[in-house]
């Protein structure tokens, strides 16, 4: 009887546990060109997301501070793009987009 109650309790715990959030498997981000001088435009291309999924873009500055670029909605094919230019007034160095 104890084993049966323990098994029932364990099943109840798993049944009531919240599901893990869905992740965009196979999602990709590409910046083109991979390197550009400040002020020159680059295109950030996203793919592999769910249709119309909202995706947040972030910019990592050379001093590793992170700033929000904004949110994009993927199209029905799970893709989106954003044109970005680092103004000449921003710090000089390598930037990252995530």
């Amino acid at each position: 009887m104890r084993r049966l109650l323990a098994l029932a309790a364990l099943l109840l715990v798993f049944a009531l546990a919240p599901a893990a959030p869905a992740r965009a498997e196979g999602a990709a981000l590409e910046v083109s060109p991979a390197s550009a001088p400040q002020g020159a435009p680059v295109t950030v291309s996203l793919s592999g997301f769910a249709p119309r999924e909202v995706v947040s873009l972030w910019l990592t500055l050379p001093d590793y501070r992170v700033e929000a670029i904004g949110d994009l909605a993927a199209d029905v094919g799970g893709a989106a793009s954003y044109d970005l230019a680092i103004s000449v007034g921003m710090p000089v160095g390598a930037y990252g987009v995530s």
Side-chain angles (χ1 to χ4, degrees):
M1 186 64 169
R2 285 185 183 173
R3 286 185 180 171
L4 185 58
L5 285 175
L7 180 60
L10 185 61
L11 290 174
L12 185 60
V13 167
F14 283 113
L16 296 177
R23 301 211 188 283
E25 292 184 30
L29 179 148
E30 181 180 330
V31 177
S32 179
S35 178
Q38 283 185 240
V42 295
T43 300
V44 179
S45 300
L46 306 168
S47 61
F49 291 89
R52 308 220 187 278
E53 181 175 356
V54 176
V55 181
S56 297
L57 288 179
W58 299 86
L59 183 67
T60 303
L61 283 66
D63 64 1
Y64 301 106
R65 286 181 296 139
V66 179
E67 294 183 2
I69 294 174
D71 294 337
L72 297 175
D75 61 20
V76 295
S81 67
Y82 182 83
D83 293 324
L84 173 70
I86 305 300
S87 73
V88 294
M90 298 285 286
V92 175
Y95 285 78
V97 179
S98 56

